[in-house]
Amino acid sequence: RRTDTEPSNILALTFTESGAVAMRRRLVEIIGSPAYYAHISTFHGFCNEIIRSNPEDFTHLALSKSITEIEQIELFERLIKETVLNILKPYGATFLYLRPVLKAINDLKRENITPQKFKEIVEIQEQEFSHIEDLYHEKGAHRGKMKGMYKVKERQIAKNKELEELYEKYQQSLKETGA
């Protein structure tokens, strides 16, 4: 109410559509109908608008289309079916890890970790694991067997290797379909 900034010069960003609606509602309560001139959007929506408005600066993205969550799930179902996986595709529950895989890959993308970078991280984990000196019990009934805490770490590395494979295939599929 007490600024020289025009509502059309305001940009407000949020992570969710509901957050954008709440912001708009609150701004209308504060300044009235001029609030409809403010640019209120999700980060995703704002970035998509920038790409659409400046195709010459985003040639690799300008012709691509956004993929919905349902399309992501369908794509991951196909990838999981087609990929040989020992951990992320348990027998009798093929899609048990579908949602966790989708979340993990979305998290990696949000952190700007590419499939190649993730592969490097997993390789480092494998190298560090192979250099652990006390992996196996040296005495007693369990002599020669891997210690329990290391079995958990070994399984996590194996999961990450499978996740890395799915991530690579996912990105390749997105590229091929222009999504």
Side-chain angles (χ1 to χ4, degrees):
R1 289 182 190 152
R2 289 180 257 157
T3 182
D4 59 354
T5 302
E6 294 294 319
S8 61
N9 292 327
I10 295 172
L11 172 63
L13 299 174
T14 182
F15 290 104
T16 64
E17 290 290 340
S18 61
V21 170
M23 277 190 204
R24 173 90 57 207
R25 189 177 311 122
R26 180 77 175 114
L27 192 57
V28 167
E29 289 172 7
I30 295 170
I31 65 171
S33 63
Y36 291 102
Y37 293 102
H39 303 282
I40 300 175
S41 177
T42 63
F43 284 96
H44 190 255
F46 175 71
C47 291
N48 280 336
E49 182 57 35
I50 295 293
I51 291 167
R52 276 192 300 275
S53 300
N54 302 281
E56 65 282 353
D57 294 323
F58 301 96
T59 54
H60 64 290
L61 295 174
L63 298 177
S64 65
K65 61 181 175 63
S66 293
I67 187 170
T68 66
E69 186 176 355
I70 291 171
E71 290 169 325
Q72 281 182 316
I73 290 169
E74 289 171 348
L75 176 54
F76 272 108
E77 284 177 348
R78 182 177 60 79
L79 293 174
I80 288 170
K81 281 181 187 176
E82 295 173 355
T83 306
V84 176
L85 302 167
N86 296 316
I87 299 172
L88 296 179
K89 184 169 63 173
Y91 180 77
T94 304
F95 303 118
L96 178 67
Y97 290 104
L98 189 142
R99 290 238 181 237
V101 163
L102 181 58
K103 182 187 180 320
I105 289 175
N106 283 334
D107 289 347
L108 288 166
K109 291 178 78 143
R110 190 174 11 266
E111 295 296 324
N112 199 28
I113 298 173
T114 63
Q116 180 58 37
K117 179 66 177 164
F118 188 58
K119 183 177 184 173
E120 292 168 11
I121 290 168
V122 173
E123 287 172 356
I124 290 168
Q125 288 176 337
E126 286 181 303
Q127 288 174 1
E128 289 173 351
F129 185 80
S130 69
H131 289 94
I132 296 173
E133 293 183 19
D134 67 334
L135 271 175
Y136 301 97
H137 292 280
E138 294 179 15
K139 299 177 185 176
H142 298 289
R143 183 177 180 189
K145 293 181 182 176
M146 187 178 290
K147 294 179 179 177
M149 64 184 170
Y150 294 128
K151 284 184 180 181
V152 172
K153 186 161 182 68
E154 181 181 48
R155 184 171 173 81
Q156 185 59 49
I157 292 169
K159 265 182 160 177
N160 283 342
K161 284 186 72 127
E162 290 184 0
L163 180 64
E164 180 269 317
E165 184 177 359
L166 285 172
Y167 188 14
E168 177 64 38
K169 287 181 176 187
Y170 175 67
Q171 287 301 106
Q172 186 60 39
S173 183
L174 292 178
K175 186 176 181 182
E176 289 169 2
T177 60

